[in-house]
Amino acid sequence: MRIVRTISEIRMALKTLREGGHRIGFVPTMGYLHEGHAALIKQSTARCNHTVVSVFVNPTQFGPKEDLAQYPRDLDRDQNLCLKLGVDILFLPETSEIFPTGFGTFVEPGSLGEVLCGKFRPGHFRGVATIVAKLFNIVQPDLAFFGQKDLQQIAVIRRMIRDLNMPVDIVAAPTVREADGLAMSSRNTYLNPEDRKRALCLQRGLLAADAAFHKGERKASKLAAIARKELSSADDVQYCQMVDAYTMEALDGEITRTAALCIAAIIGKTRLIDNVVLSPTDEGVQFINHLDPS
Ligand code: PAF
C-alpha cells in the first residue's frame, strides 16, 4: 500500500495504475475507520482493480459550534486496517494541501442541501459537495462508495455528479450496524454507557416503521408517527421524516415510490442519524446497490 500526502504524488501514482484501462474505486473518509468503512473498502476491492482511500477531516463541513476539534482520529489504526483490506493507495493530505490560502470556490448543492440535516447544519452539504468534488477531481475514480446511513449525503453527491457531469458512478452500500443494531459511526465514541443504551431508540423506531410497512401500512405520516413513538428517550428529535429516497422531498401521502424514513436525534451531547429505505417494489434493493434510475 502506498501512502501519499500530496495531490501531485497521487496523480502520478494513479496515472500508472490507470494504464491498461484499470478500474479505480474510491472510498472517501474522515478517518477513525470502523466496520462500515471496511464494508465500503471490501466492495471497492471486489469490484475495482485498484482502491484508493482518503482520510481527510474536512473543516468546511463542520459548523462553528460543531465537533471539528474533537473529531476522533487514529491514523495508525486506519493505516493498518487499509493495509489489511488490500487498499492500494491511502491519501492523507494536510488541510493546506486541499484548501490553500486564498481558496474561495465552493459547490452549492441548492435546496437538497437545505432540508433535513441541512436545516440543522447550515453549510454542511456545501462543505461535503465541495470536498467530494475536489477529491473526485484529484482521484478521478470510476466508482465511489458511500454508506447508506448518510442518505442525504448520497443524494447531494448523486445530484452533483449529474448536474456537473462528473464521470463517476456512486455505489450506496447498506448501513453496517453494531450487534445491537446501532448504526456504526465514528461519533458513537462520544456516547457514554447510558447514552449508548438510549441511542438504540433510533433503531427501534426504524424497525417499528419497517414492520408496519411490511404489514401493509403505506401512509407516510402514520409510519413516521410509529417511529417517533420510540424516540421518547432521545433528548431531542430534530426530524423523523418520510422522504423520497432520491430527492429527499418530504412525503405525506401514500408511499408509491422508493422512500426513506430518516431520523436525526440528540442523545446526550451526540447527534445521531439513521434511516431505513422502504420500497413498495423491489427497487429498494436496486437503490442500495446502484444508481439513481433517472
Ligand atoms: O461521510 C464522510 O465521512 C464525509 O462526509 C466525506 C464524504 C468523507 C466528505 O468529507
Side-chain angles (χ1 to χ4, degrees), residues 98-209:
I98 299 294
F99 294 114
T101 309
F103 179 87
T105 307
F106 289 85
V107 178
E108 278 297 346
S111 56
L112 194 49
E114 284 159 18
V115 296
L116 301 176
C117 287
K119 212 160 133 190
F120 296 89
R121 304 186 69 190
H124 170 69
F125 288 110
R126 176 193 203 238
V128 169
T130 303
I131 187 63
V132 173
K134 282 173 68 70
L135 291 168
F136 282 177
N137 284 336
I138 293 166
V139 176
Q140 298 180 14
D142 298 285
L143 287 181
F145 298 81
F146 295 87
Q148 192 203 310
K149 181 176 76 66
D150 298 305
L151 194 66
Q152 187 175 9
Q153 169 167 283
I154 292 173
V156 165
I157 292 167
R158 281 183 165 150
R159 174 79 57 88
M160 173 183 80
I161 63 164
R162 191 199 65 182
D163 289 354
L164 300 183
N165 311 101
M166 295 178 166
V168 51
D169 274 355
I170 303 303
V171 179
T175 302
V176 177
R177 297 180 180 280
E178 303 283 355
D180 59 7
L182 182 69
M184 291 213 178
S185 162
S186 306
R187 288 189 169 99
N188 290 350
T189 180
Y190 301 152
L191 295 164
N192 66 31
E194 194 259 327
D195 291 346
R196 173 69 184 70
K197 279 191 207 139
R198 288 195 295 137
L200 292 176
C201 66
L202 278 82
Q203 162 76 345
R204 276 200 307 275
L206 295 173
L207 284 177

Side-chain angles (χ1 to χ4, degrees), residues 27-31 37 54 56-58 61 71 124 127-128 131-132 135 146 150 153 157:
V27 183
T29 80
M30 297 210 297
H37 296 110
S54 62
F56 179 67
V57 182
N58 168 34
Q61 68 188 75
Y71 197 81
H124 170 69
V128 169
I131 187 63
V132 173
L135 291 168
F146 295 87
D150 298 305
Q153 169 167 283
I157 292 167

